[in-house]
Amino acid sequence: MTVIRRRGWEIPERLATPEHLVFDRRALLAGGASLLAMTPYAAQAQRVGDLANLPDPSADLYPAKRNEKYTIERPITAEKINTNYNNFYEFNSSKNVAAQAQKLPIRPWTVKIDGMVEKPIEIGIDELIRKMTLEERTYRHRCVEAWSMAIAWSGFPFAKLVEFAKPLGSAKFVRMETFMDPKVAPGQRQTWYPWPYVEGLTMAEATNELAFLATGAYGKPISKQQGAPLRLAVPWKYGFKSIKSIVRFSFTDKQPKGMWEKLQASEYGFWANVNPAVPHPRWSQATEEVIGTGERVPTQIFNGYGEYVAGLYKGLEKERLWA
Ligand SMILES: Nc1nc2c(c(=O)[nH]1)N[C@H]1C(S)=C(S)[C@@H](COP(=O)(O)O)O[C@H]1N2
Ligand SMILES: [Mo]
């Protein structure tokens, strides 16, 4: 996504290696056996260097059972293509973030649920995942930059998280936040972005059957560059709404302001529903490049999901629904 950059000042590069690493017990048990045979130094070096290679403690949950209701006509983008063409500005602003994203520690990972709820809580990602029934769904993904992919996500409906969170009747929106750690995420040292990454949905959108929280992709735990360990997928909206690596869900009566909206409200608004007839201020949204195919295809209203979501916007016609 291109923005008009305000000048920031450079922050000196710092060592990205964390001084001290704490793993959750499950990961340590699963990954630790061979460490016993090593000298303490070798074991420590292995722990620091191989953080990315620890076995994922949720690996046994995949592949999840496919939900045949959510499949699409378009071939699924090859995993190799999908995981090497990503937007993840916390790491860098190119599509080539996969290597840098491996530095993100995804265990332990705590999710905070707060705001207008019966009782705010913090819950470890594995405890949360194991409260849910995972399923696989194939969704189209349409970036506001006019490219698209098709992905087999695994995860659970956002409605199940809402049910678990027990929001008060007064909650009208859910605000989501990505991790904040400039030590591992060099993009977060670029002070002209209003970090952390934030996105929001109305309660009606979050509980729509299509709104999905992905914990996996391609039949295994989701890759770091795709937003491990927990990422939103709202396929009828432009991709920037589908926030990655979520650490917090806050229920609120105020419309949340996303990071892109804060940066450039005239181009990236709250609703951001896909519409080929409404151009971005700097380019057309009529067609999209299907990544990996070399083809351009017509973009569909609500990215082809109108039957599920058009009803959400009845009575909101005066809102800026399409950008
Ligand atoms: N935290 C965070 N979430 C994010 C982004 C980001 O830079 N940071 N990029 C968004 C954009 S613009 C898109 S198109 C999708 C890209 O997801 P993908 O890399 O899995 O295709 O993630 C969205 N979620
Ligand atoms: Mo995007």
Side-chain angles (χ1 to χ4, degrees):
M1 184 171 313
T2 52
V3 292
I4 295 152
R5 283 208 182 132
R6 290 162 213 161
R7 290 302 301 173
W9 50 91
E10 297 290 317
I11 292 178
E13 288 279 318
R14 272 179 233 134
L15 266 182
T17 309
E19 237 178 283
H20 184 69
L21 298 169
V22 191
F23 300 126
D24 85 29
R25 205 155 49 102
R26 244 190 121 83
L28 193 58
L29 288 175
S34 63
L35 298 178
L36 296 176
M38 296 182 193
T39 63
Y41 176 78
Q44 199 195 326
Q46 169 116 351
R47 282 182 202 181
V48 173
D50 278 3
L51 186 57
N53 300 327
L54 277 179
D56 188 296
S58 63
D60 61 296
L61 298 173
Y62 303 90
K65 190 166 181 288
R66 177 168 283 197
N67 184 336
E68 297 293 345
K69 188 172 177 196
Y70 307 102
T71 53
I72 54 179
E73 77 302 332
R74 203 183 271 186
I76 296 176
T77 306
E79 180 183 1
K80 244 202 156 137
I81 290 173
N82 190 313
T83 54
N84 287 287
Y85 188 93
N86 302 95
N87 270 338
F88 206 161
Y89 279 71
E90 282 80 348
F91 293 97
N92 70 64
S93 57
S94 80
K95 297 292 180 275
N96 190 10
V97 302
Q100 270 180 314
Q102 301 319 306
K103 294 221 174 84
L104 178 66
I106 55 168
R107 294 296 188 285
W109 188 276
T110 305
V111 176
K112 196 186 273 189
I113 298 175
D114 64 4
M116 296 174 150
V117 291
E118 278 181 20
K119 191 166 160 261
I121 65 154
E122 290 190 15
I123 183 168
I125 187 67
D126 291 303
E127 197 186 338
L128 177 64
I129 294 178
R130 283 172 198 278
K131 282 186 193 300
M132 303 294 166
T133 306
L134 300 190
E135 60 180 68
E136 184 176 85
R137 298 183 177 195
T138 315
Y139 276 175
R140 285 182 292 273
H141 173 89
R142 171 60 159 81
C143 177
V144 72
E145 298 162 332
W147 55 264
S148 67
M149 297 203 200
I151 308 110
W153 298 119
S154 310
F156 53 89
F158 202 145
K160 294 290 177 192
L161 182 116
V162 172
E163 200 178 287
F164 172 72
K166 299 200 179 69
L168 304 178
S170 46
K172 299 205 160 43
F173 301 92
V174 55
R175 174 188 182 278
M176 291 152 280
E177 204 174 286
T178 295
F179 75 88
M180 180 69 192
D181 189 351
K183 285 197 300 305
V184 300
Q188 292 184 331
R189 294 177 225 153
Q190 298 181 314
T191 51
W192 58 88
Y193 291 105
W195 306 111
Y197 201 103
V198 166
E199 264 307 336
L201 295 172
T202 64
M203 291 299 291
E205 290 175 328
T207 53
N208 180 274
E209 65 178 291
L210 276 186
F212 198 63
L213 286 164
T215 59
Y218 297 97
K220 53 190 190 236
I222 188 171
S223 70
K224 293 182 180 185
Q225 59 270 37
Q226 290 170 299
L230 186 66
R231 170 266 164 84
L232 178 65
V234 279
W236 71 97
K237 291 182 178 283
Y238 290 118
F240 69 89
K241 295 293 295 184
S242 289
I243 180 173
K244 296 179 169 184
S245 304
I246 302 167
V247 294
R248 185 173 176 195
F249 296 87
S250 306
F251 292 84
T252 169
D253 57 2
K254 288 184 195 64
Q255 183 171 303
K257 200 168 245 183
M259 189 186 80
W260 291 111
E261 188 180 2
K262 270 187 214 152
L263 204 56
Q264 203 99 316
S266 59
E267 301 190 359
Y268 311 109
F270 172 77
W271 298 99
N273 295 308
V274 175
N275 188 342
V278 179
H280 182 274
R282 290 182 281 135
W283 57 83
S284 164
Q285 297 290 23
T287 63
E288 61 203 52
E289 179 190 354
V290 184
I291 300 299
T293 67
E295 275 176 53
R296 287 199 87 82
V297 302
T299 289
Q300 304 174 66
I301 188 141
F302 292 115
N303 200 21
Y305 294 102
E307 60 171 307
Y308 297 101
V309 298
L312 292 171
Y313 305 102
K314 294 267 149 63
L316 292 174
E317 291 80 5
K318 55 184 194 320
E319 297 275 323
R320 204 159 59 92
L321 292 173
W322 313 107

